[in-house]
Amino acid sequence: MKQADDQQSTLIDPFGRRIEYVRLSVTDQCDLRCFYCMPDDYRDFEEPEHWLSFPEIERVIRAFTELGTRRVRLTGGEPLLRRNLPDLARRLASLPGLEDLSLSTNATRLAKQAGALHDSGITRINVSLDSLQSDRFKNITKGKLDKTLDGLMAARRAGFHPIKINMVVMKGINDDEVEDMVDFCIEHDFTLRFIETMPVGDTGRNASQHYIDLEEIRSRLARRFELLPGMMPGGGPARYVQVAGTQLRIGFITPISRHFCETCNRVRLAVDGTLYMCLGQEHSLSLRPLLRQGISDEDLRLTLREAIALKPERHEFRDKPEQVVRFMSKTGG
Ligand SMILES: C[S@@+](CC[C@H](N)C(=O)[O-])C[C@H]1O[C@@H](n2cnc3c(N)ncnc32)[C@H](O)[C@@H]1O
Ligand code: SF4
């Protein structure tokens, strides 16, 4: 009986993976234009009437938690552009069963909102930071480095811990800065994660000309730092090392050189209510019409089960890099 109950309250995909993590994109808009993510002139955003409302989002996430989801990450686009984000965070943080509510942000607006977001129940944040050089940061993102750094420091003061820095490492763009980023993270007690470029959307495919296998970066760092095998609670797909004699952990996210699909535990909900089963595939199911036609709670849970049955075994970034047409800003990485 116990086993039957467990099966009722968990989501298992066709490959036996337990799905317990939702990445929730609360907007597809962004105040930056990282060249590997979104085109400069892109304006084709979702109409506001297509955005899931906070009560709609809460309903979907509640259904997920009833099916065993323990973790939710707020992402985007830039999630801090969504008005009243702390209100949504508060609603989600109080859902029974949700143990971990986190946020991915470019931090440009964090200086103003860090306190309210921390108070709302978000405990962990990831901040994108690809360069510590103002000109270079501007070339990559079209934004101002100072704003992101101010946001980071505000997050620290607000009490977020750990704070993870996400750096997409690109040959000829910023690969000469990884040592500087290590020093910066040691100095400020941040966790550092390096990410390989992914061919998501035309922007991601163009950026893939700067792809670098992170094993190269690890070997290079090992010449300057002693790297010990490391662990990180809630570390997800990153493989971690610890820099000896410091608190710094460095994660390597290697979707291209060593994919981690066999342990995938997540799905992605876009702001228009489309549920994507894989970052590297287009398998999806649209929840918005069902929500707006008054689907019952029981049928909503059933629909989520049906959606999970569509989850593909793995991405095909290497074999079929042309496959994903949407931009990363739609599903939040
Ligand atoms: C799409 S952003 C959304 C959240 C927020 N705006 C931010 O930048 O953290 C999430 C993550 O995806 C990463 N990303 C975007 N496009 C990518 C690509 N083509 N390859 C690898 N990572 C990418 C970003 O660097 C960021 O760390
Ligand atoms: S990576 Fe994040 S900050 Fe950069 S354009 Fe995409 S959504 Fe915006």
Side-chain angles (χ1 to χ4, degrees), residues 30-34 36-38 76-78 106 128 329:
C30 189
D31 54 344
L32 298 185
R33 286 291 182 278
C34 303
Y36 49 74
C37 179
M38 211 197 292
E78 175 43 43
N106 62 31
S128 290
S329 49

Side-chain angles (χ1 to χ4, degrees), residues 278-291:
C278 174
L279 184 60
Q281 302 272 9
E282 294 286 0
H283 304 64
S284 67
L285 191 146
S286 179
L287 295 175
R288 190 181 73 241
L290 306 174
L291 292 166

Side-chain angles (χ1 to χ4, degrees), residues 188-209:
H188 294 285
D189 188 23
F190 299 139
T191 298
L192 177 55
R193 303 187 330 155
F194 297 125
I195 305 177
E196 292 176 345
T197 52
M198 288 171 254
V200 175
D202 287 342
T203 42
R205 274 183 284 284
N206 289 340
S208 292
Q209 62 184 295

Side-chain angles (χ1 to χ4, degrees), residues 79-247:
L80 271 59
L81 293 186
R82 181 85 188 240
R83 201 175 295 164
N84 300 328
L85 187 67
D87 291 349
L88 175 66
R90 203 167 299 112
R91 282 167 176 260
L92 300 182
S94 60
L95 286 175
L98 195 80
E99 291 165 6
D100 181 32
L101 183 63
S102 58
L103 171 74
S104 285
T105 174
N106 62 31
T108 57
R109 295 173 181 231
L110 207 47
K112 281 206 179 112
Q113 299 192 43
L117 288 165
H118 190 262
D119 293 347
S120 72
I122 295 171
T123 49
R124 302 190 299 118
I125 61 168
N126 290 359
V127 173
S128 290
L129 181 62
D130 296 330
S131 175
L132 293 166
Q133 301 174 18
S134 303
D135 289 357
R136 196 179 266 186
F137 184 88
K138 192 168 185 75
N139 282 337
I140 297 172
T141 68
K142 301 282 180 300
K144 290 198 174 123
L145 175 63
D146 285 353
K147 277 173 108 181
T148 288
L149 294 181
D150 287 351
L152 259 174
M153 300 312 155
R156 160 59 34 80
R157 285 193 299 277
F160 285 105
H161 196 273
I163 296 175
K164 294 182 188 163
I165 302 294
N166 281 341
M167 177 183 187
V168 179
V169 184
M170 295 167 283
K171 203 184 270 297
I173 303 281
N174 62 354
D175 58 325
D176 57 344
E177 266 192 82
V178 292
E179 287 85 354
D180 289 352
M181 202 62 88
V182 169
D183 290 335
F184 174 77
C185 289
I186 291 174
E187 182 186 343
H188 294 285
D189 188 23
F190 299 139
T191 298
L192 177 55
R193 303 187 330 155
F194 297 125
I195 305 177
E196 292 176 345
T197 52
M198 288 171 254
V200 175
D202 287 342
T203 42
R205 274 183 284 284
N206 289 340
S208 292
Q209 62 184 295
H210 301 289
Y211 165 77
I212 183 165
D213 182 334
L214 288 180
E215 190 50 40
E216 227 180 277
I217 298 297
R218 188 207 292 253
S219 311
R220 205 172 92 196
L221 289 176
R223 278 182 236 132
R224 187 174 141 193
F225 304 97
E226 187 186 351
L227 304 180
L228 310 169
M231 283 289 290
M232 185 82 194
R239 295 173 175 85
Y240 279 90
V241 296
Q242 169 111 27
V243 178
T246 77
Q247 293 298 314

